[in-house]
Coordinates of all heavy atoms in Angstrom, one line a residue:
P1 N -19.1 23.9 7.0 CA -18.2 22.9 6.4 C -18.6 22.5 5.0 O -19.8 22.5 4.7 CB -18.3 21.7 7.3 CG -19.3 22.0 8.4 CD -19.8 23.4 8.1
F2 N -17.7 22.1 4.2 CA -17.9 21.7 2.8 C -17.0 20.5 2.5 O -15.9 20.5 2.7 CB -17.5 22.9 1.8 CG -17.6 22.5 0.4 CD1 -18.9 22.5 -0.3 CD2 -16.5 22.1 -0.3 CE1 -19.0 22.1 -1.6 CE2 -16.6 21.8 -1.6 CZ -17.8 21.8 -2.3
V3 N -17.7 19.5 1.9 CA -16.9 18.3 1.5 C -16.8 18.3 0.0 O -17.7 18.5 -0.7 CB -17.7 17.0 2.0 CG1 -17.0 15.7 1.4 CG2 -17.8 16.9 3.5
S4 N -15.6 18.1 -0.5 CA -15.3 18.1 -1.9 C -16.1 17.0 -2.7 O -16.6 16.1 -2.1 CB -13.8 17.8 -2.2 OG -13.4 16.6 -1.7
E5 N -16.2 17.2 -3.9 CA -17.0 16.3 -4.8 C -16.6 14.8 -4.7 O -17.4 14.0 -4.7 CB -16.9 16.8 -6.3 CG -17.8 16.1 -7.2 CD -19.2 16.5 -7.2 OE1 -19.5 17.6 -6.6 OE2 -20.1 15.8 -7.7
D6 N -15.3 14.6 -4.5 CA -14.8 13.2 -4.4 C -14.9 12.7 -2.9 O -14.6 11.5 -2.7 CB -13.4 13.1 -4.9 CG -12.4 13.9 -4.1 OD1 -12.7 14.5 -3.1 OD2 -11.2 13.9 -4.5
G7 N -15.4 13.5 -2.0 CA -15.5 13.1 -0.6 C -14.2 12.9 0.2 O -14.2 12.3 1.2
R8 N -13.1 13.4 -0.4 CA -11.8 13.2 0.3 C -11.3 14.4 1.1 O -10.4 14.2 1.9 CB -10.8 12.9 -0.8 CG -11.1 11.7 -1.8 CD -11.1 10.4 -1.2 NE -9.9 10.0 -0.5 CZ -9.8 9.0 0.4 NH1 -10.9 8.3 0.6 NH2 -8.7 8.8 1.0
S9 N -11.9 15.6 0.8 CA -11.4 16.8 1.5 C -12.6 17.5 2.2 O -13.6 17.7 1.6 CB -10.8 17.7 0.5 OG -9.7 17.1 -0.2
L10 N -12.3 17.9 3.4 CA -13.3 18.6 4.2 C -12.8 20.0 4.5 O -11.7 20.2 5.1 CB -13.6 17.9 5.6 CG -14.4 18.7 6.6 CD1 -15.8 18.8 6.1 CD2 -14.3 18.0 7.9
Y11 N -13.5 21.0 4.0 CA -13.1 22.4 4.1 C -13.9 23.1 5.2 O -15.1 22.8 5.2 CB -13.2 23.2 2.8 CG -12.3 22.7 1.7 CD1 -12.8 21.6 0.9 CD2 -11.1 23.2 1.5 CE1 -11.9 21.2 -0.1 CE2 -10.2 22.7 0.5 CZ -10.7 21.7 -0.3 OH -9.9 21.2 -1.3
F12 N -13.3 23.9 6.1 CA -14.1 24.5 7.1 C -13.4 25.8 7.6 O -12.2 26.0 7.4 CB -14.3 23.5 8.3 CG -13.0 23.1 9.0 CD1 -12.6 23.8 10.1 CD2 -12.3 22.0 8.4 CE1 -11.4 23.4 10.7 CE2 -11.1 21.6 9.0 CZ -10.7 22.3 10.2
A13 N -14.2 26.6 8.2 CA -13.7 27.9 8.8 C -13.5 27.6 10.3 O -14.3 27.0 11.0 CB -14.7 29.0 8.6
S14 N -12.4 28.2 10.8 CA -12.1 28.1 12.2 C -11.3 29.2 12.7 O -10.5 29.8 12.0 CB -11.3 26.8 12.5 OG -11.0 26.6 13.8
N15 N -11.4 29.5 14.0 CA -10.5 30.5 14.6 C -9.4 29.9 15.5 O -9.0 30.4 16.4 CB -11.4 31.5 15.5 CG -12.0 30.8 16.7 OD1 -12.1 29.6 16.8 ND2 -12.6 31.6 17.5
R16 N -9.0 28.7 15.1 CA -8.0 27.9 15.8 C -6.7 28.7 15.9 O -6.4 29.5 15.0 CB -7.8 26.5 15.2 CG -7.4 26.5 13.8 CD -7.5 25.1 13.1 NE -6.8 24.1 13.8 CZ -7.3 23.0 14.2 NH1 -8.5 22.7 14.0 NH2 -6.5 22.1 14.8
P17 N -5.9 28.4 16.9 CA -4.6 29.1 17.0 C -3.7 29.0 15.8 O -3.7 28.0 15.1 CB -4.0 28.5 18.2 CG -5.1 27.9 19.0 CD -6.1 27.5 18.0
G18 N -3.0 30.0 15.5 CA -2.0 30.0 14.4 C -2.6 30.5 13.1 O -1.9 30.4 12.1
G19 N -3.8 31.0 13.1 CA -4.4 31.5 11.8 C -4.0 32.9 11.5 O -3.2 33.5 12.2
Y20 N -4.5 33.4 10.4 CA -4.1 34.7 9.9 C -5.0 35.8 10.4 O -4.7 37.0 10.4 CB -4.1 34.8 8.3 CG -3.0 33.9 7.7 CD1 -3.2 32.6 7.4 CD2 -1.8 34.5 7.4 CE1 -2.2 31.8 6.9 CE2 -0.8 33.7 6.8 CZ -1.0 32.4 6.6 OH 0.0 31.6 6.0
G21 N -6.3 35.5 10.7 CA -7.2 36.5 11.1 C -8.3 35.9 12.0 O -8.1 34.9 12.7
A22 N -9.5 36.5 12.0 CA -10.6 36.2 12.9 C -11.0 34.7 12.6 O -11.2 33.9 13.6 CB -11.8 37.1 12.7
E23 N -11.2 34.3 11.4 CA -11.6 33.0 11.0 C -10.8 32.7 9.7 O -10.7 33.5 8.8 CB -13.1 32.8 10.7 CG -13.9 33.2 11.9 CD -14.6 32.0 12.5 OE1 -14.3 30.8 12.1 OE2 -15.3 32.2 13.5
D24 N -10.2 31.5 9.6 CA -9.5 31.1 8.4 C -10.1 29.8 7.8 O -10.8 29.1 8.5 CB -8.0 30.8 8.7 CG -7.2 32.0 8.9 OD1 -7.7 33.1 8.8 OD2 -6.0 31.8 9.3
I25 N -9.9 29.6 6.6 CA -10.3 28.3 5.9 C -9.2 27.3 6.0 O -8.0 27.5 5.8 CB -10.6 28.6 4.4 CG1 -11.7 29.7 4.2 CG2 -11.1 27.3 3.8 CD1 -13.0 29.4 4.8
Y26 N -9.6 26.1 6.5 CA -8.7 24.9 6.7 C -9.3 23.8 5.8 O -10.4 23.8 5.4 CB -8.7 24.5 8.1 CG -8.0 25.5 9.0 CD1 -8.7 26.6 9.5 CD2 -6.7 25.3 9.4 CE1 -8.0 27.5 10.4 CE2 -6.1 26.2 10.3 CZ -6.7 27.3 10.7 OH -6.1 28.2 11.5
V27 N -8.4 22.8 5.6 CA -8.8 21.6 4.9 C -8.2 20.4 5.7 O -7.1 20.5 6.2 CB -8.3 21.5 3.4 CG1 -6.8 21.6 3.3 CG2 -8.9 20.3 2.7
A28 N -9.0 19.4 5.8 CA -8.6 18.1 6.4 C -8.9 17.0 5.3 O -9.9 17.1 4.6 CB -9.3 17.7 7.7
R29 N -7.9 16.1 5.1 CA -8.1 15.1 4.1 C -8.4 13.7 4.7 O -7.8 13.3 5.7 CB -6.8 15.0 3.3 CG -6.3 16.3 2.8 CD -6.2 16.5 1.4 NE -5.6 17.8 1.0 CZ -6.2 18.7 0.3 NH1 -7.4 18.5 -0.1 NH2 -5.6 19.8 0.0
R30 N -9.4 13.1 4.1 CA -9.8 11.8 4.6 C -8.8 10.7 4.3 O -8.3 10.7 3.2 CB -11.2 11.4 4.0 CG -11.8 10.2 4.6 CD -13.2 10.1 4.2 NE -13.5 10.0 2.8 CZ -14.0 9.0 2.2 NH1 -14.4 7.9 2.9 NH2 -14.3 9.0 0.9
K31 N -8.4 9.9 5.3 CA -7.5 8.8 5.1 C -8.2 7.5 4.8 O -9.1 7.2 5.6 CB -6.6 8.7 6.3 CG -5.8 9.9 6.7 CD -5.0 9.6 8.0 CE -4.1 10.7 8.4 NZ -3.5 10.3 9.7
G32 N -7.9 6.9 3.8 CA -8.5 5.6 3.5 C -10.0 5.7 3.2 O -10.5 6.7 2.7
S33 N -10.8 4.7 3.6 CA -12.2 4.7 3.3 C -13.1 5.1 4.4 O -14.3 5.2 4.3 CB -12.6 3.3 2.7 OG -12.3 2.3 3.7
S34 N -12.5 5.2 5.6 CA -13.2 5.5 6.8 C -13.6 7.0 6.9 O -12.7 7.8 6.6 CB -12.5 5.1 8.1 OG -13.1 5.6 9.2
W35 N -14.7 7.3 7.4 CA -15.1 8.7 7.6 C -14.6 9.2 9.0 O -14.9 10.3 9.4 CB -16.6 8.9 7.5 CG -17.0 8.9 6.0 CD1 -17.4 7.8 5.3 CD2 -17.0 10.0 5.1 NE1 -17.7 8.2 4.0 CE2 -17.5 9.6 3.9 CE3 -16.7 11.4 5.3 CZ2 -17.6 10.4 2.8 CZ3 -16.8 12.2 4.2 CH2 -17.3 11.7 2.9
L36 N -14.0 8.3 9.7 CA -13.5 8.6 11.1 C -12.0 8.9 11.2 O -11.5 9.3 12.2 CB -13.8 7.4 12.0 CG -15.3 7.1 12.1 CD1 -15.5 5.8 13.0 CD2 -16.1 8.2 12.6
D37 N -11.3 8.8 10.1 CA -9.8 9.0 10.1 C -9.4 10.1 9.1 O -9.5 9.9 7.9 CB -9.1 7.7 9.7 CG -7.7 7.7 10.0 OD1 -7.2 8.6 10.7 OD2 -7.0 6.8 9.5
W38 N -9.0 11.3 9.7 CA -8.7 12.4 8.9 C -7.3 12.9 9.2 O -6.8 12.8 10.3 CB -9.7 13.6 9.1 CG -11.1 13.2 8.7 CD1 -12.0 12.5 9.4 CD2 -11.7 13.6 7.5 NE1 -13.2 12.4 8.7 CE2 -13.0 13.0 7.5 CE3 -11.3 14.3 6.4 CZ2 -13.9 13.2 6.4 CZ3 -12.2 14.5 5.3 CH2 -13.4 13.9 5.3
S39 N -6.7 13.6 8.2 CA -5.4 14.3 8.5 C -5.6 15.4 9.4 O -6.7 16.0 9.5 CB -4.8 14.8 7.1 OG -5.6 15.9 6.7
P40 N -4.5 15.9 10.0 CA -4.6 17.2 10.8 C -5.1 18.3 9.9 O -4.6 18.3 8.7 CB -3.2 17.4 11.3 CG -2.6 16.0 11.3 CD -3.2 15.3 10.1
P41 N -5.9 19.2 10.4 CA -6.3 20.4 9.5 C -5.1 21.2 9.1 O -4.2 21.4 9.8 CB -7.2 21.2 10.4 CG -7.6 20.2 11.5 CD -6.5 19.3 11.7
E42 N -5.1 21.7 7.8 CA -4.1 22.5 7.2 C -4.8 23.9 6.9 O -5.8 23.9 6.2 CB -3.5 21.9 6.0 CG -2.8 20.6 6.2 CD -2.4 20.1 4.8 OE1 -1.9 20.8 4.0 OE2 -2.6 18.9 4.6
N43 N -4.1 25.0 7.3 CA -4.6 26.3 6.9 C -4.3 26.5 5.4 O -3.2 26.1 4.9 CB -3.8 27.3 7.7 CG -4.4 28.7 7.5 OD1 -4.4 29.2 6.4 ND2 -4.7 29.4 8.6
L44 N -5.3 27.0 4.6 CA -5.1 27.2 3.2 C -4.1 28.3 2.9 O -3.8 28.5 1.7 CB -6.4 27.4 2.5 CG -7.3 26.2 2.4 CD1 -8.6 26.5 1.6 CD2 -6.6 25.0 1.9
G45 N -3.6 29.1 3.9 CA -2.6 30.0 3.6 C -3.1 31.4 3.3 O -4.3 31.7 3.1
F46 N -2.1 32.3 3.1 CA -2.4 33.7 2.8 C -3.0 34.0 1.5 O -3.6 35.1 1.3 CB -1.1 34.6 3.0 CG -0.1 34.4 2.0 CD1 -0.1 35.2 0.9 CD2 0.9 33.4 2.1 CE1 0.9 35.0 -0.1 CE2 1.8 33.2 1.1 CZ 1.8 34.0 0.0
L47 N -2.9 33.1 0.5 CA -3.6 33.4 -0.8 C -5.1 33.3 -0.6 O -5.9 33.8 -1.5 CB -3.1 32.4 -1.8 CG -1.6 32.6 -2.2 CD1 -1.2 31.5 -3.2 CD2 -1.4 34.0 -2.8
V48 N -5.6 32.6 0.4 CA -7.0 32.5 0.7 C -7.4 33.3 1.9 O -8.4 34.0 1.9 CB -7.5 31.0 0.9 CG1 -8.9 30.9 1.4 CG2 -7.3 30.2 -0.4
N49 N -6.6 33.2 3.0 CA -6.9 33.8 4.2 C -6.3 35.2 4.4 O -5.2 35.5 3.9 CB -6.5 32.9 5.4 CG -7.3 31.6 5.3 OD1 -8.5 31.6 5.4 ND2 -6.6 30.5 5.3
S50 N -7.0 36.1 5.1 CA -6.5 37.4 5.4 C -6.6 37.7 6.9 O -6.8 36.8 7.7 CB -7.4 38.5 4.7 OG -8.7 38.5 5.3
N51 N -6.4 38.9 7.3 CA -6.5 39.3 8.7 C -7.9 39.5 9.1 O -8.2 39.8 10.3 CB -5.6 40.5 9.1 CG -6.1 41.7 8.4 OD1 -6.9 41.7 7.4 ND2 -5.6 42.9 8.8
K52 N -8.9 39.3 8.2 CA -10.3 39.3 8.5 C -10.9 37.9 8.7 O -10.1 37.0 8.8 CB -11.0 40.1 7.4 CG -10.5 41.4 7.1 CD -10.7 42.4 8.2 CE -10.2 43.8 7.8 NZ -10.2 44.7 8.9
A53 N -12.2 37.8 8.5 CA -12.8 36.4 8.7 C -13.2 35.9 7.3 O -13.9 36.6 6.5 CB -14.1 36.6 9.5
E54 N -12.7 34.7 7.0 CA -13.1 34.0 5.7 C -14.0 32.9 6.1 O -13.7 32.1 7.1 CB -11.9 33.4 5.0 CG -11.1 34.4 4.2 CD -10.3 35.4 5.1 OE1 -9.6 35.1 6.0 OE2 -10.4 36.6 4.7
L55 N -15.2 32.8 5.4 CA -16.2 31.8 5.8 C -16.9 31.3 4.6 O -16.7 31.8 3.5 CB -17.3 32.6 6.6 CG -16.8 33.3 7.9 CD1 -17.9 34.2 8.4 CD2 -16.4 32.3 9.0
Y56 N -17.7 30.2 4.8 CA -18.5 29.6 3.7 C -17.8 29.2 2.5 O -18.2 29.5 1.4 CB -19.7 30.6 3.4 CG -20.4 31.2 4.6 CD1 -20.3 32.5 4.9 CD2 -21.1 30.3 5.5 CE1 -20.9 33.0 6.1 CE2 -21.7 30.8 6.6 CZ -21.6 32.2 6.9 OH -22.2 32.7 8.0
F57 N -16.7 28.5 2.6 CA -15.9 28.0 1.5 C -16.7 26.9 0.7 O -17.3 26.0 1.3 CB -14.6 27.4 2.0 CG -13.6 27.0 1.0 CD1 -12.7 27.9 0.5 CD2 -13.6 25.7 0.5 CE1 -11.8 27.5 -0.5 CE2 -12.7 25.3 -0.5 CZ -11.8 26.2 -0.9
T58 N -16.6 27.0 -0.6 CA -17.2 26.0 -1.5 C -16.4 25.9 -2.8 O -15.8 26.9 -3.2 CB -18.7 26.2 -1.8 OG1 -19.2 25.1 -2.5 CG2 -18.9 27.5 -2.6
L59 N -16.3 24.7 -3.3 CA -15.6 24.5 -4.6 C -16.6 24.2 -5.7 O -17.7 23.5 -5.4 CB -14.7 23.3 -4.5 CG -13.4 23.4 -3.7 CD1 -12.7 22.1 -3.5 CD2 -12.5 24.4 -4.4
T60 N -16.3 24.5 -6.9 CA -17.1 24.0 -8.1 C -16.9 22.5 -8.2 O -15.9 22.0 -7.7 CB -16.6 24.7 -9.4 OG1 -15.2 24.5 -9.6 CG2 -16.9 26.2 -9.3
P61 N -17.8 21.8 -8.8 CA -17.7 20.4 -8.9 C -16.4 19.9 -9.6 O -15.9 18.8 -9.2 CB -18.9 20.0 -9.8 CG -19.9 21.0 -9.5 CD -19.1 22.3 -9.3
D62 N -15.8 20.7 -10.5 CA -14.6 20.3 -11.1 C -13.4 20.6 -10.2 O -12.2 20.3 -10.6 CB -14.4 20.8 -12.5 CG -14.4 22.3 -12.5 OD1 -14.3 23.0 -11.5 OD2 -14.5 22.9 -13.7
G63 N -13.6 21.3 -9.1 CA -12.5 21.7 -8.2 C -11.6 22.8 -8.7 O -10.5 23.0 -8.1
K64 N -11.9 23.5 -9.8 CA -11.1 24.5 -10.4 C -11.3 25.9 -9.8 O -10.4 26.7 -10.0 CB -11.2 24.5 -11.9 CG -10.7 23.2 -12.5 CD -10.8 23.3 -14.0 CE -10.2 22.0 -14.6 NZ -10.2 22.0 -16.1
E65 N -12.4 26.1 -9.2 CA -12.7 27.4 -8.6 C -13.3 27.3 -7.2 O -14.0 26.3 -7.0 CB -13.8 28.2 -9.5 CG -13.3 28.6 -10.8 CD -14.3 29.4 -11.6 OE1 -14.9 30.3 -11.0 OE2 -14.5 29.2 -12.7
A66 N -13.0 28.2 -6.4 CA -13.5 28.2 -5.0 C -14.2 29.6 -4.8 O -13.9 30.6 -5.4 CB -12.4 28.1 -4.0
W67 N -15.3 29.5 -4.0 CA -16.0 30.7 -3.5 C -16.0 30.7 -2.0 O -16.1 29.7 -1.4 CB -17.4 30.8 -4.1 CG -17.5 30.9 -5.5 CD1 -17.0 32.0 -6.3 CD2 -18.1 30.0 -6.5 NE1 -17.3 31.8 -7.6 CE2 -17.9 30.6 -7.8 CE3 -18.7 28.8 -6.3 CZ2 -18.4 29.9 -8.9 CZ3 -19.2 28.2 -7.5 CH2 -19.0 28.7 -8.7
F68 N -15.9 31.9 -1.5 CA -16.0 32.1 0.0 C -16.3 33.5 0.3 O -16.2 34.4 -0.6 CB -14.7 31.6 0.7 CG -13.5 32.3 0.3 CD1 -13.0 33.4 1.0 CD2 -12.7 31.8 -0.8 CE1 -11.8 34.0 0.7 CE2 -11.6 32.5 -1.1 CZ -11.1 33.6 -0.4
V69 N -16.7 33.8 1.5 CA -17.1 35.2 1.9 C -16.0 35.7 2.8 O -15.5 34.9 3.7 CB -18.4 35.2 2.6 CG1 -18.8 36.6 3.1 CG2 -19.5 34.7 1.7

């Protein structure tokens, strides 16, 4: 899992139902100031995910580039 620089977005890999492949990258957004209240996870879509496994997602501090395996 990876938390964005601003602490508002949690990125993670999962094989949850409805994905594109073996493992997909998802994001959940923190609601308010609590670390216990998050949006439902959203799949980042076909521009990031393939029919293979995407893992180890990370963003640059400015949020303009992402790296993953």
Side-chain angles (χ1 to χ4, degrees):
F2 174 81
V3 176
S4 62
E5 188 76 18
D6 65 4
R8 309 289 309 160
S9 301
L10 172 67
Y11 297 89
F12 62 95
S14 177
N15 64 350
R16 59 192 304 125
Y20 292 89
E23 302 252 2
D24 285 358
I25 304 295
Y26 290 81
V27 62
R29 310 241 186 241
R30 189 162 60 117
K31 297 178 180 180
S33 60
S34 172
W35 284 93
L36 301 176
D37 193 14
W38 294 83
S39 70
E42 297 175 44
N43 189 303
L44 291 187
F46 71 91
L47 294 177
V48 172
N49 296 304
S50 70
N51 64 346
K52 306 291 184 192
E54 282 69 48
L55 304 166
Y56 312 113
F57 185 90
T58 187
L59 287 171
T60 56
D62 63 9
K64 292 183 179 182
E65 292 184 46
W67 293 298
F68 59 94
V69 176

